[in-house]
Amino acid sequence: MPELVFFSGTMDCGKSTLALQIEHNRSARGLQGMIFTRDDRAGAGKLSSRLGLVTEAVEATPALDLYAFVVDLMSRGGKTDYVIVDEAQFLVPDQIDQLARIVDELNLDVFAFGITTDFRTKLFPGSQRLIELADRVETLQVEAMCWCGARATHNARTVGGEMVVDGEQVVVGDVGGAAEEVGYEVLCRRHHRRRMTSAASRAAALSPDVLPVTSH
């Protein structure tokens, strides 16, 4: 039976790489997929991974009806055997309902990939709706790691190298961006709560206040 599957995880855990792998495996068997994405790091209409792999995709703007788009393609003789959606957290809830309709009415598998929570630890509306509707929710097994070595569970936004917890929910950036720009870092819960990024930890280690005191 066709399914709506939500593959979730933090940033930097291989979601886009898995999406590209599924596309490769299925296309190698002669199947043809429809790929949607939103606000990819490589630009509009791209699905890319941090490993350097990239493929063309349809930019899922908020006004795009995903179900109608697939139906129109198929009615004009286009072939679609499955649907892949990357950066699914950025979709509006109505678009998640459209993905469920693709599964139920067109009998196509839909594989959605996305982050569950934002930099404030709040659910993205698209991810929340996926959790509500998906046939399966799969947590990716490739675990991202906090700078301390613990499993990373939270996404942190940095501006000028410092962690922030206020601002718009969607601001495009990337892990490992320039310090003066908007960037993101994955942290364990403890260090997210303390707003202790890798840069902040290095600064603390260099502070005279934390150096050992020796007597002469």
Side-chain angles (χ1 to χ4, degrees), residues 27-47:
S27 63
R29 301 299 184 272
L31 301 176
Q32 186 167 333
M34 170 59 62
I35 303 175
F36 295 102
T37 191
R38 175 81 185 279
D39 292 336
D40 188 272
R41 67 183 69 83
K46 302 288 184 182
L47 166 55

Side-chain angles (χ1 to χ4, degrees), residues 48-96:
S48 68
S49 79
R50 293 187 179 86
L51 299 181
L53 305 173
V54 62
T55 192
E56 298 296 321
V58 175
E59 187 73 10
T61 61
L64 181 65
D65 185 321
L66 307 183
Y67 174 81
F69 187 94
V70 174
V71 168
D72 180 65
L73 176 69
M74 297 175 72
S75 67
R76 292 185 285 107
K79 182 182 179 183
T80 301
D81 298 303
Y82 57 94
V83 173
I84 291 174
V85 185
D86 198 28
E87 307 293 357
Q89 72 274 5
F90 295 146
L91 300 186
V92 299
D94 283 349
Q95 289 175 313
I96 305 303

Side-chain angles (χ1 to χ4, degrees), residues 114-177:
I115 298 167
T116 308
T117 57
D118 64 16
F119 70 104
R120 303 165 301 184
T121 71
K122 304 297 183 181
L123 283 169
F124 283 100
S127 297
Q128 178 178 333
R129 192 61 178 147
L130 272 165
I131 292 170
E132 293 166 348
L133 290 184
D135 297 293
R136 286 190 290 127
V137 177
E138 301 281 354
T139 301
L140 268 67
Q141 297 304 306
V142 178
E143 295 183 348
M145 296 179 66
C146 178
W147 60 265
C148 69
R151 176 173 174 262
T153 54
H154 291 66
N155 305 295
R157 178 184 293 172
T158 59
V159 176
E162 296 186 1
M163 181 175 162
V164 297
V165 293
D166 295 310
E168 295 182 11
Q169 186 173 50
V170 179
V171 176
V172 178
D174 200 4
V175 173

Side-chain angles (χ1 to χ4, degrees), residues 11 13 86 196 205:
M11 299 182 72
C13 72
D86 198 28
M196 182 67 75

